[in-house]
Amino acid sequence: MMSSYNRVLVRIQDLTPEKADQLVWVRARIHTSRAKGKQCFLVLRHQQFNVQALVAVGDRASKQMVKFAANINKESIVDVEGVVRKVDQKIESCTQQDVELHIEKIFVISLAEPRLPLQLEDAVRPDGAGDEEGRATVNQDTRLDNRVIDLRTTTSQAVFRLQSGICHLFRDTLIKKGFVEIQTPKIISAASEGGANVFTVSYFKTSAYLAQSPQLYKQMCICADFEKVFCIGPVFRAEDSNTHRHLTEFVGLDIEMAFNYHYHEVVDQIADTMVQIFKGLRDNFTTEIETVNKQYPSEPFKFLEPTLRLEYKEGVAMLREAGIEMGDEEDLSTPNEKLLGRLVKEKYDTDFYILDKYPLAVRPFYTMPDPSNAKYSNSYDMFMRGEEILSGAQRIHDPDLLTERAIHHNIDLEKIKAYIDSFRYGAPPHAGGGIGLERVTMLYLGLHNVRQTSMFPRDPKRLTP
Amino acid sequence: MMSSYNRVLVRIQDLTPEKADQLVWVRARIHTSRAKGKQCFLVLRHQQFNVQALVAVGDRASKQMVKFAANINKESIVDVEGVVRKVDQKIESCTQQDVELHIEKIFVISLAEPRLPLQLEDAVRPDGAGDEEGRATVNQDTRLDNRVIDLRTTTSQAVFRLQSGICHLFRDTLIKKGFVEIQTPKIISAASEGGANVFTVSYFKTSAYLAQSPQLYKQMCICADFEKVFCIGPVFRAEDSNTHRHLTEFVGLDIEMAFNYHYHEVVDQIADTMVQIFKGLRDNFTTEIETVNKQYPSEPFKFLEPTLRLEYKEGVAMLREAGIEMGDEEDLSTPNEKLLGRLVKEKYDTDFYILDKYPLAVRPFYTMPDPSNAKYSNSYDMFMRGEEILSGAQRIHDPDLLTERAIHHNIDLEKIKAYIDSFRYGAPPHAGGGIGLERVTMLYLGLHNVRQTSMFPRDPKRLTP
């Protein structure tokens, strides 16, 4: 007898008509189960794929076995042996529509408890569809409280596989461009960016802070001649904001780069990196995008090559033309940001663009002023579907100018001494930016809450699971 | 006149005899500078490469220019225009040994302060070489206090480029194997692994902790059907250990994987991932390895394919044969770990091996006992040059057994309720492990302190820069 250790398991996605009449072993979850007389119909699920299966009283299965199969709790993991059979009529409710599995043996690998905190069918039902037909949907807190189950839905599987793809495309593109990956510390001794919104950590007999961004460290790497660096890591913001797009801990995709003559060299590299991500997702994640769209319909994400770059004052002019009153040096409010996104989409047919040359007054002290117009700065944001996903700038690399700007912003020089000192031993001109991974995932897929694209989101009210 | 924006800059590593007699622009740091009569010899440096350059009074350079060049502080960044000239005698002290640059123009891009906190020549001098010849070396605290400068040395450039390579090889291998990258939260509500050695964070009106490992979250992803997952991220340990291999914050390369029949399926995947990293480093980072070896000589790293796997009791037997007295169920002390590494190297000629089936008593409560011998467990460590770099195990996926083991370890069930509950809705058998990036880098290169392979190390006494 063959030992089970040598058994070959066939994946559900590979159960196709080519396997017809073959006897196969499959490991899967019981997605649904319905007994009907001498038969039991199961839907077996593995990740994004499912197949219909049948246990029927006959040569290969006893009455007891049918009863046993019918009584296995949903979400249990089973090993089944069965024959793949072509079906006459497509099974619309399954991903494997042309075959079903006629089960001859069934073993429980891991038994689920009988009462599930949420039903997977409910969790993938489009919003609204529930109410109309009297069927349930699952609210966000129930999902997040029971994330282990919610993450099993086809939608969640697709969202987080695509998110893994974003990270991979980001790094792959940058490594091809000659960037070096760095690792920056998250526990820091001083709240470098002013001190507001920072989490405090007790550190042995003293206290420390959680880094609000890797910026200082990225810049130190530039001063240390790494020239082009990137990092992916957690970023912490102690902001008491309970919005659809704020988290207290999120994943930052960060870039910093020395340039030769103009900060647009950096802007172009970042924009091209985003374009490579968009292309990679479009070309390699079709299944995932379609899966998410079934539950959350959205328009395909549009982008231009090269990326559209508008100056801030052009954006302000477009808003004014649309009836918005705002000053030249006023920051964009969230509604105006979204409106501008719609105006840009109408005019240029793109969901991704760069807004360049922000007013100096609305940017942090380390932002390089525009040398040709002191009211503006060499800084930029990037937007997807009208929401900011990246904020960046040329950084001041001259310690005297940096000191002057810090004083202008009433920043305590003592607290940023180490930062300023980093530039005292020769510093190349450089620029960079930070991208929020969860926002990019959310906006690419046209979702509406960043908690849908964070596996285990953290906000002022949520610390679990 | 051509604007400087269109100027092409040639990299120092590309200054070879093929470019002889060409007029080129180069951006570099002044590595050293020595005026001698009507001439000034400079060494220009860019990352791991340097070239000799000369400014001499004559047709193209005035006396004032020679003086100006001679007075530029070391580590300043300059743009120079000059002619590449072949040299008769190799310049042994530079990486570009066959050419020098005859400078015609020189501009300062960023001026360094005159007094450097450490000298780069001193910082790359092999330990010991300093004392004998009366030349200085730089101690570790001075290096770390002035990391922006210390990271510019050829050695540091090589170490951290190689480290970037480790991350890239790790992910690339796993993505090819079908793994999904996940992002796990670092702020957690409960200290899941017992509560010792954990940093506390103030979180709005409550408090939270910094994750000591992503293990719970990796396991949740397995229970959520992602099947094979990995993550790279910071790991926090509030241990007051001041050793050569402990940090309070380090980078974890983490793997978790569901298996079909035997946890060795996972062990084999992890070991193969390590082998792919070793091969990639050996084949693609020759320059970096040689550069580090100049300052810190070490034997080339040896490994076998497939990886050597010894059982714990075999290891104990080898130690006993070497005269060590220890019990069957006693853990390995650090000296014994190192001794065993030497014995394994002698016997099997490998710097990398797996020690499998640790005594159950020395492993955490969630470790799966060996079903055939209750004194042992399905757990393993992996070693490089005799030091542990990975600890892993098959995890208990049955909530009842997990509860029983937690009680046996006197763990407060209330505190790990969420963890245990993750396994109640069907959980596949799974195993995994966590690797310390800084240790892998250190041990691959044969270095002796983990602070050399952490860009901005954190230990009980160091929180800056």
Side-chain angles (χ1 to χ4, degrees):
Chain A
M1 204 184 122
M2 203 168 116
S3 109
S4 69
Y5 190 19
N6 298 315
R7 212 183 259 164
V8 174
L9 294 175
V10 175
R11 296 168 79 87
I12 284 183
Q13 67 208 82
D14 297 327
L15 295 177
T16 53
E18 289 76 60
K19 289 224 166 40
D21 306 322
Q22 291 182 20
L23 188 65
V24 297
W25 277 101
V26 170
R27 178 168 296 179
R29 287 193 190 268
I30 306 269
H31 184 59
T32 62
S33 138
R34 184 166 50 89
K36 200 180 163 185
K38 291 177 170 179
Q39 293 186 319
C40 173
F41 286 94
L42 302 172
V43 173
L44 300 179
R45 189 187 80 238
H46 179 244
Q47 297 177 341
Q48 302 176 73
F49 307 95
N50 54 26
V51 68
Q52 183 166 283
L54 176 71
V55 200
V57 176
D59 287 356
R60 307 291 185 122
S62 63
K63 209 172 149 185
Q64 283 73 17
M65 181 175 151
V66 174
K67 201 177 158 191
F68 171 77
N71 282 329
I72 303 171
N73 297 329
K74 279 199 289 186
E75 292 300 305
S76 297
I77 299 171
V78 293
D79 273 7
V80 301
E81 188 180 38
V83 179
V84 181
R85 297 286 185 208
K86 268 199 264 191
V87 291
D88 299 331
Q89 219 174 351
K90 275 191 187 292
I91 302 165
E92 297 292 344
S93 57
C94 290
T95 58
Q96 309 314 102
Q97 306 198 325
D98 303 312
V99 297
E100 63 180 12
L101 196 62
H102 289 225
I103 294 178
E104 302 189 351
K105 289 181 188 152
I106 187 163
F107 298 105
V108 175
I109 298 296
S110 175
L111 189 64
E113 298 211 340
R115 243 184 85 84
L116 295 172
L118 61 88
Q119 302 300 318
L120 272 85
E121 310 92 275
D122 298 342
V124 295
R125 197 160 284 139
D127 286 341
D131 317 328
E132 284 164 33
E133 302 169 32
R135 289 183 192 158
T137 53
V138 182
N139 75 38
Q140 188 171 268
D141 275 330
T142 306
R143 288 176 187 280
L144 296 179
D145 288 342
N146 301 284
R147 198 58 158 162
V148 167
I149 298 173
D150 184 51
L151 287 174
R152 292 178 192 169
T153 65
T154 46
T155 306
S156 295
Q157 289 282 319
V159 166
F160 291 103
R161 278 165 201 280
L162 182 131
Q163 185 167 78
S164 170
I166 292 173
C167 293
H168 186 57
L169 289 160
F170 176 78
R171 285 186 303 244
D172 229 45
T173 305
L174 291 171
I175 283 175
K176 280 186 197 138
K177 289 176 185 291
F179 279 71
V180 174
E181 179 173 6
I182 58 168
Q183 307 292 339
T184 68
K186 304 308 163 200
I187 302 182
I188 56 173
S189 63
S192 55
E193 291 185 43
N197 303 334
V198 64
F199 288 113
T200 308
V201 185
S202 20
Y203 196 81
F204 303 101
K205 283 170 186 154
T206 173
S207 42
Y209 305 96
L210 290 181
Q212 293 164 290
S213 95
Q215 193 183 318
L216 166 57
Y217 295 95
K218 288 191 300 177
Q219 290 192 261
M220 285 174 72
C221 288
I222 296 299
C223 295
D225 293 345
F226 284 94
E227 205 169 70
K228 301 170 176 185
V229 298
F230 74 91
C231 55
I232 297 190
V235 169
F236 306 94
R237 303 273 165 93
E239 265 180 276
D240 201 357
S241 307
N242 294 281
T243 77
H244 78 286
R245 63 176 183 177
H246 285 90
L247 294 170
T248 51
E249 177 180 347
F250 62 91
V251 177
L253 310 179
D254 268 274
I255 291 179
E256 202 73 27
M257 177 182 150
F259 62 80
N260 293 335
Y261 302 112
H262 198 288
Y263 77 99
H264 281 174
E265 295 166 38
V266 181
V267 176
D268 291 346
Q269 292 289 311
I270 300 176
D272 182 64
T273 302
M274 294 307 300
V275 166
Q276 298 311 320
I277 292 173
F278 301 148
K279 283 184 172 177
L281 295 179
R282 179 193 66 194
D283 298 343
N284 306 322
F285 289 85
T286 326
T287 310
E288 282 74 14
I289 295 165
E290 281 170 6
T291 302
V292 176
N293 274 333
K294 273 183 207 155
Q295 182 169 7
Y296 302 103
S298 75
E299 294 293 312
F301 188 83
K302 289 199 169 179
F303 57 96
L304 301 175
E305 236 189 311
T307 300
L308 175 68
R309 189 174 67 222
L310 297 175
E311 291 211 355
Y312 194 82
K313 53 185 157 202
E314 295 176 78
V316 172
M318 285 172 75
L319 284 169
R320 284 178 184 153
E321 212 169 291
I324 302 295
E325 284 178 31
M326 66 178 286
D328 284 348
E329 293 180 70
E330 196 182 319
D331 207 354
L332 282 184
S333 65
T334 305
N336 284 350
E337 196 179 289
K338 287 190 181 176
L339 172 58
L340 184 56
R342 286 197 297 277
L343 298 171
V344 168
K345 177 78 182 263
E346 276 167 30
K347 188 166 173 185
Y348 298 99
D349 199 28
T350 180
D351 289 308
F352 178 60
Y353 77 101
I354 304 163
L355 204 57
D356 192 22
K357 298 231 164 280
Y358 269 67
L360 183 61
V362 303
R363 306 296 273 198
F365 74 97
Y366 49 71
T367 308
M368 184 65 88
D370 180 349
S372 60
N373 184 343
K375 270 170 62 180
Y376 290 93
S377 66
N378 289 357
S379 71
Y380 40 86
D381 277 8
M382 299 190 185
F383 298 88
M384 287 173 64
R385 298 195 203 255
E387 296 194 44
E388 182 245 308
I389 56 120
L390 171 139
S391 193
Q394 177 178 353
R395 330 291 189 180
I396 297 173
H397 62 283
D398 176 73
D400 297 334
L401 179 56
L402 194 55
T403 305
E404 185 190 312
R405 295 296 306 161
I407 292 169
H408 180 86
H409 277 256
N410 292 315
I411 289 169
D412 181 351
L413 290 179
E414 208 37 58
K415 285 198 174 152
I416 57 164
K417 185 175 178 305
Y419 179 66
I420 295 180
D421 286 348
S422 308
F423 304 101
R424 295 200 187 279
Y425 306 103
H430 61 286
I435 299 163
L437 174 63
E438 294 84 355
R439 284 195 190 180
V440 171
T441 316
M442 168 178 83
L443 294 163
Y444 183 84
L445 289 169
L447 298 174
H448 300 292
N449 195 307
V450 80
R451 288 160 189 80
Q452 293 173 296
T453 57
S454 170
M455 266 198 183
F456 304 101
R458 296 291 179 259
D459 65 32
K461 291 173 185 157
R462 175 172 292 279
L463 257 174
T464 55
Chain B
M1 202 184 122
M2 204 168 119
S3 111
S4 70
Y5 191 19
N6 298 315
R7 213 182 259 165
V8 175
L9 294 175
V10 176
R11 296 169 78 88
I12 284 183
Q13 66 207 86
D14 297 328
L15 294 178
T16 55
E18 289 77 58
K19 289 223 165 40
D21 305 321
Q22 290 182 22
L23 188 66
V24 297
W25 278 99
V26 171
R27 178 167 297 178
R29 288 194 190 267
I30 305 269
H31 184 59
T32 63
S33 141
R34 184 166 50 91
K36 199 179 164 184
K38 291 179 169 179
Q39 294 186 318
C40 174
F41 286 94
L42 303 171
V43 173
L44 301 178
R45 188 187 81 238
H46 179 244
Q47 298 177 341
Q48 301 177 72
F49 307 96
N50 54 26
V51 70
Q52 182 166 281
L54 177 71
V55 201
V57 176
D59 285 357
R60 307 291 186 120
S62 64
K63 208 173 151 186
Q64 283 71 19
M65 181 174 152
V66 174
K67 200 177 160 194
F68 172 78
N71 282 328
I72 303 172
N73 297 329
K74 278 199 289 185
E75 292 301 304
S76 297
I77 299 171
V78 293
D79 274 6
V80 301
E81 189 180 37
V83 179
V84 181
R85 296 283 185 213
K86 268 199 263 191
V87 290
D88 299 331
Q89 220 175 350
K90 274 191 188 293
I91 302 167
E92 298 291 345
S93 57
C94 290
T95 59
Q96 308 314 103
Q97 306 198 328
D98 303 312
V99 297
E100 62 179 13
L101 197 62
H102 289 224
I103 294 177
E104 303 190 350
K105 289 182 187 151
I106 187 162
F107 298 104
V108 175
I109 298 296
S110 175
L111 189 65
E113 298 210 339
R115 238 184 89 83
L116 294 172
L118 61 90
Q119 302 300 320
L120 272 83
E121 311 92 275
D122 298 342
V124 294
R125 197 160 284 140
D127 285 343
D131 317 329
E132 286 166 33
E133 301 169 33
R135 289 182 191 158
T137 53
V138 182
N139 76 36
Q140 188 171 268
D141 275 331
T142 306
R143 288 176 187 278
L144 295 180
D145 288 342
N146 302 283
R147 199 58 158 161
V148 168
I149 298 171
D150 184 51
L151 288 175
R152 291 178 193 168
T153 64
T154 47
T155 306
S156 296
Q157 289 282 320
V159 166
F160 292 103
R161 279 166 201 280
L162 182 130
Q163 185 167 78
S164 170
I166 293 174
C167 294
H168 186 57
L169 289 160
F170 176 78
R171 284 185 305 242
D172 229 45
T173 305
L174 291 171
I175 283 175
K176 280 185 197 139
K177 290 176 186 289
F179 279 71
V180 174
E181 179 174 5
I182 57 167
Q183 306 292 338
T184 68
K186 305 307 163 199
I187 303 181
I188 56 174
S189 62
S192 54
E193 291 186 42
N197 302 334
V198 64
F199 288 114
T200 308
V201 184
S202 17
Y203 196 80
F204 302 100
K205 283 171 188 153
T206 174
S207 42
Y209 305 95
L210 290 182
Q212 292 164 289
S213 96
Q215 193 184 318
L216 165 57
Y217 295 95
K218 288 192 299 177
Q219 290 193 262
M220 285 174 74
C221 288
I222 295 300
C223 296
D225 293 346
F226 283 95
E227 206 170 70
K228 300 170 177 184
V229 298
F230 73 91
C231 54
I232 296 189
V235 169
F236 306 93
R237 302 273 165 94
E239 265 180 278
D240 200 356
S241 306
N242 294 281
T243 78
H244 78 286
R245 62 175 182 176
H246 285 91
L247 294 171
T248 51
E249 177 181 348
F250 62 91
V251 177
L253 310 179
D254 268 273
I255 291 180
E256 201 74 25
M257 177 182 150
F259 61 80
N260 292 334
Y261 303 111
H262 198 288
Y263 76 99
H264 281 173
E265 295 165 38
V266 181
V267 176
D268 291 346
Q269 293 288 310
I270 300 176
D272 181 64
T273 302
M274 293 308 299
V275 166
Q276 298 311 320
I277 291 173
F278 301 147
K279 285 184 174 178
L281 295 179
R282 179 193 65 195
D283 298 342
N284 306 321
F285 289 85
T286 326
T287 310
E288 282 74 13
I289 295 166
E290 281 170 7
T291 302
V292 176
N293 274 333
K294 271 182 212 158
Q295 183 169 7
Y296 303 103
S298 75
E299 293 293 311
F301 188 83
K302 289 200 170 178
F303 57 95
L304 302 174
E305 237 190 309
T307 300
L308 175 68
R309 190 175 65 224
L310 297 175
E311 292 211 356
Y312 193 82
K313 53 185 157 201
E314 295 177 76
V316 172
M318 285 172 76
L319 284 169
R320 284 180 184 153
E321 213 168 293
I324 301 296
E325 283 178 34
M326 66 178 286
D328 285 346
E329 293 178 68
E330 197 181 317
D331 207 353
L332 283 183
S333 65
T334 305
N336 285 350
E337 197 179 289
K338 286 191 182 174
L339 172 58
L340 184 56
R342 286 198 295 278
L343 298 172
V344 168
K345 178 78 183 265
E346 277 167 28
K347 187 164 174 186
Y348 299 98
D349 198 29
T350 179
D351 289 308
F352 178 59
Y353 76 101
I354 306 164
L355 203 57
D356 192 22
K357 299 231 164 280
Y358 269 68
L360 183 60
V362 303
R363 306 296 273 197
F365 75 97
Y366 48 71
T367 308
M368 184 64 89
D370 180 348
S372 60
N373 184 344
K375 270 171 58 180
Y376 291 93
S377 65
N378 289 356
S379 71
Y380 39 86
D381 276 8
M382 298 189 185
F383 297 87
M384 286 172 66
R385 300 196 202 254
E387 295 195 45
E388 183 243 309
I389 55 121
L390 171 138
S391 193
Q394 177 179 352
R395 329 291 188 181
I396 298 173
H397 63 283
D398 175 74
D400 297 333
L401 179 56
L402 194 55
T403 305
E404 187 190 311
R405 295 296 308 161
I407 292 169
H408 180 85
H409 277 256
N410 292 317
I411 288 168
D412 182 349
L413 290 180
E414 207 38 58
K415 284 199 176 151
I416 57 164
K417 186 176 179 303
Y419 179 65
I420 295 181
D421 286 348
S422 308
F423 304 101
R424 295 199 186 280
Y425 306 103
H430 62 286
I435 300 163
L437 175 63
E438 293 84 354
R439 284 196 189 180
V440 172
T441 316
M442 168 178 81
L443 294 163
Y444 184 83
L445 289 169
L447 298 175
H448 299 293
N449 195 308
V450 79
R451 288 160 189 78
Q452 294 174 296
T453 56
S454 170
M455 267 197 183
F456 305 101
R458 295 292 180 257
D459 65 32
K461 291 172 185 157
R462 177 170 291 279
L463 258 174
T464 54

